[in-house]
Amino acid sequence: AGLAAAQEYTFKLHQPLSAQAPAQTQMLEPWARQVEENSGGRVKIEIFPAMTLGGRPPELINQVRDGVVDLIWTVNGYTPGLFPRSEVFELPNVFEGDLSAANLAMHDMLDDLREDYRGTEVMFLHVHAGNGIQIAGREIRSPADLSGVSLRTPSRTGAWVIEALGATPVAMPVPELPQALQRGTVAGALIPWEIIPALQIQEQTDYQIEGENNYRFGTTVFQVSMNQARWDGLPEDIQQAFRDASGPEWWAQVGEIWRGTDDFGIGVATGAGNQHIVLSAEETQAFRDALEPVVERWVAEVSGQGIDAAGLVEKARTLIAEHSAGN
Amino acid sequence: MTDPTTLGFLGLLVLLILIALRMPIGYAMILVGGVGITLLNGPALMLNQLKTLAYGQFSVYDLSVIPMFVLMGALATKAGFSQQLFRFTNAWLGWMRGGTAMAGIAACAGFGAVSGSSLATASTMGKVALPELRRYRYSGALATGSLAAGGVLGILIPPSVVLIIYAIIVEANIVTMFMAAFIPGILAVIFFLLTIAIYVLIVPEAGPAGGSKDRAEFLSATLGVIPVLVIFGLVLGGIYGGLYNPTPAAAVGVFLVWLFGTAQRRLSFGAIRESLMETASTTGMIFLILLGAELMKIYMSRIGLPQAAASWIGTSGLEPMTVLILLLLALILLGCLMDSLSMILLVIPFFWPVLVELNGGLYQGAEGSGFGMSTNELKIWFGILALIVVELGLITPPVGMNVFVISALSKDTPMMETFKGVMPFFAAEIIRVVLILVFPAIVLWLPRYLAG
Amino acid sequence: MASSHTPRRTGFAGVAETVITLWALFGGVVLIALVVVNIYAVLSGFAGRRFSGDFELTEMFAAVAAFCFLPYTQLSDANVTADIFTSRASPRWVALFKLVAALVALLFALLLLWRMYYGLNDQRDYRYTTTILQVPIWWAFVPILVSLALLALAAAINFVEYGRSMMRGGQA
Ligand code: NA
Ligand code: NA
């Protein structure tokens, strides 16, 4: 059967962002087309953006587990605490700034993380380029500059980062952020540059701050996964079509895609006259030191669930270092 | 498999039949959506989705302002805000020909600034103003028509439940939408006042001049409204001025109205209890519709109707402006049958992506766009236009909720009289829609200005 | 919006009506708690040490309050209906339409109760929590399940009442 063959396997891929978001146009669509091509046209993946199949973003993981949809792309942080093992890659000083290396390390550690994703078959995991500090009015050079400042947190580990810096974490839906910044409900936010164009964050902030060599203050893990029963019911060659489109090269390439959208975002901010601050080696070290307790806090918290958290930190750091060196 | 358009219209047809047979709109949507999804994809999928769907729909941050604004409106009614407002507007306007009806409109506008609902505004102000209008021998058509129309200001003047829901669906900022609604809302008040002025020019006996108030009453009515205005100022001023976002603002509003009512000894424990019960039934009604609309949306997405409609319109070669006007006309027609909230929930998820497509994409700037404005501004402009036209449904036959409410309060006026009385205001609204279509700046100027 | 005044019921239906009304008032108390949390958040912001958990508590409280209101909305017949097309129908037919609507409400309430019970188990087994305060989300499901049981009860009462009314040819 050639490409003209009837599509025998159709999949509904549900994702929370709009159809025009780079996550769909640059990542999900190319991946889906690759799977379809690998299958010789027997697979069709329909992407449903912006929660068009119903529910709110935190429900995506239930939807894929329960077979309401076949595939999802979601942010692990929508459901805090549900993916405790994978959280190791969100930690500052574990993830430093090399997102392709982090993605590849996750690929290597998939067996260690598997329990987080019971009920689903992971297609691929990835991180974004890392949380930077985006703030109005004050230039941040040291953790002390953040004392008592309120920042929007991206996740529960993000909240721990903010607390470790002496600031106050505020959780709110992303679309609230521009107004919250404008009226000072929060002074700033801990988010990647990638989000700047969609929310026009450059208009409400003056400074975008990160450490040397892309050092960021933790990141966020995302997943594309399939309902387990659906996966198990697929013939070997169709499974292979998915696997071939989701190999380590793809995980690394997803890192490049998100690096690209992040670079584009900071370009928008500096183009609008914002100051992009890259901390010096010493300044970065001060943040590194201040954030090490976050790793300890996470180890203590997650060990309580009978998980070898210290072992995960160790392994993640080693693998990220190896992959970074390999680049 | 049957094509999406047929399945979609079949679902819509069954929905309208159920609504016509007195099925509550929320349950009708739940039934059609739920059964439709089950027939398409099997019961297991529907049953699994129901595990979390309702909690997900109800636990949305921006929705939390709805019960709070409803409670604030209920407390404000009990605390005598509506009397204070009407006494004030009547002291200033009542002496003119048609002046008492104008006072009713102006008081509706004032009450609209605390109430998020048009029905609450119509019924509250109806109770206060109808006896006065009857006292001055206003014609049944003008008395009830002006109040039914005035009730619409409850939703045209922010805060507004429909606008909040619109903002959530299209991911617009609620505060921006509130700002955008402000000048069009003022314009609506002015148009309604002019409509009454012209009406009594043509039919002088319909609205006799009220007695002018003596100095003492004038002063006392003016002083009496000050606390009411201060509270509005703190709530809406706080939102516009950037002190807090709508959720805390609504909380502050509830607290201040309670404080004022208690200080005035008007809010007994029983009055608070009644306000809470009113809030309960209204909120329950709104949230049930939200849940039903989500099930309808899932059904429509699964049959692929929005995708089909967007691609059909995209390839039809129609001008963006033509499509927009067709969509607005569709809303006016649908408004003859459905309530505004259900309409917004049912059709905006389909209409909005079409407009985005026509404008050139979600991140389209003003340059080279289909509507001559960025998609972000299109979102604001279309929201206000949609808000106005869905609210027209409240005063058009056969189902015109505001007309029903006012008719229930005014037993001696036949409902046909009220519908007749409303027609001049309907015409004023159509003029306003055309003006906003031609001059988008009416909507966009204030948000632009306040954003700096 | 026919918020018709229901006469106070007697016997079992009377007890049920009292319980449902009190449960809606409990929802009102949750709503007042929501008001208090938000005012506290505003004040803490002015005081310079912002309270962090207001967003997540707001979402949770608003959802719980809304569910608590559903049984009362049902029992007080406050759901929006379009009565105009059937305004000339005989009372018996109108009672039949209302009977069907009450049956739909009853079945839906029971279905949702059953499914959200499994939803609660999911939320607990997978340890869903809020982001900052890490409040388990299944806690919110407990009053929600009570609300759904009462919604079923309210719909059942309506069903019996409209059924009787239909037998009597539409008289109340
Ligand atoms: Na209003
Ligand atoms: Na109508």
Side-chain angles (χ1 to χ4, degrees), chain B residues 65-104:
Chain B
V65 306
I66 291 177
M68 284 197 280
F69 274 128
V70 173
L71 179 59
M72 182 173 156
L75 287 172
T77 305
K78 298 271 187 283
F81 275 42
S82 24
Q83 281 95 334
Q84 297 281 27
L85 278 166
F86 183 68
R87 202 176 145 209
F88 169 69
T89 55
N90 202 29
W92 283 76
L93 299 169
W95 57 270
M96 281 188 275
R97 191 176 284 282
T100 313
M102 291 180 184

Side-chain angles (χ1 to χ4, degrees), chain A residues 61-62 65 79-80 82 118 148 153 155-156 160 168-173 185 301 305, chain C residues 48-56 59 122-123 125-132 134:
Chain A
I61 186 65
N62 307 52
R65 260 197 233 119
T79 46
L82 245 68
R118 62 202 150 110
T153 178
S155 58
R156 82 166 181 164
W160 297 350
T168 308
V170 178
M172 68 177 71
T185 308
E301 170 95 10
Q305 298 176 35
Chain C
R49 194 74 204 177
R50 204 182 178 288
F51 171 62
S52 306
D54 59 325
F55 278 84
E56 54 198 59
E59 292 184 342
D122 272 5
Q123 299 286 325
D125 295 349
Y126 287 99
R127 298 164 188 257
Y128 283 79
T129 63
T130 63
T131 303
I132 291 179
Q134 300 195 31

Side-chain angles (χ1 to χ4, degrees), chain B residues 335-338 392-401:
Chain B
C336 292
L337 297 171
M338 293 184 78
L392 286 177
L394 288 164
I395 52 173
T396 54
V399 184
M401 293 290 179

Side-chain angles (χ1 to χ4, degrees), chain B residues 280-370:
Chain B
S281 53
T282 308
T283 305
M285 177 269 285
I286 293 173
F287 278 64
L288 193 74
I289 291 176
L290 283 170
L291 185 57
E294 184 70 6
L295 284 167
M296 281 299 289
K297 181 187 103 180
I298 297 170
Y299 170 66
M300 295 292 182
S301 293
R302 283 191 174 270
I303 60 180
L305 187 65
Q307 300 89 322
S311 79
W312 180 78
I313 290 177
T315 55
S316 68
L318 290 172
E319 285 295 307
M321 225 24 201
T322 315
V323 174
L324 176 63
I325 291 167
L326 286 176
L327 294 183
L328 294 177
L329 286 175
L331 282 174
I332 293 179
L333 279 180
L334 207 53
C336 292
L337 297 171
M338 293 184 78
D339 71 293
S340 51
L341 189 63
S342 309
M343 265 195 286
I344 288 276
L345 281 161
L346 208 55
V347 302
I348 297 298
F350 305 108
F351 285 7
W352 175 239
V354 170
L355 294 178
V356 172
E357 203 62 41
L358 288 170
N359 202 46
L362 198 61
Y363 305 114
Q364 175 72 49
E367 201 99 346
S369 60

Side-chain angles (χ1 to χ4, degrees), chain B residues 393-417:
Chain B
L394 288 164
I395 52 173
T396 54
V399 184
M401 293 290 179
N402 274 14
V403 172
F404 297 172
V405 167
I406 295 294
S407 296
L409 292 173
S410 172
K411 302 280 182 217
D412 51 347
T413 312
M415 199 180 287
M416 275 321 293
E417 279 298 295

Side-chain angles (χ1 to χ4, degrees), chain B residues 105 108 118 121-122 143-154 156 192 391 394-395 402-403 406 418 421-426 429:
Chain B
I105 293 284
C108 280
S118 154
T121 306
T144 57
S146 65
L147 285 171
V152 173
L153 295 171
L156 295 179
F192 283 180
E391 286 314 314
L394 288 164
I395 52 173
N402 274 14
V403 172
I406 295 294
T418 309
V422 146
M423 279 307 119
F425 299 96
F426 181 85
E429 282 294 84

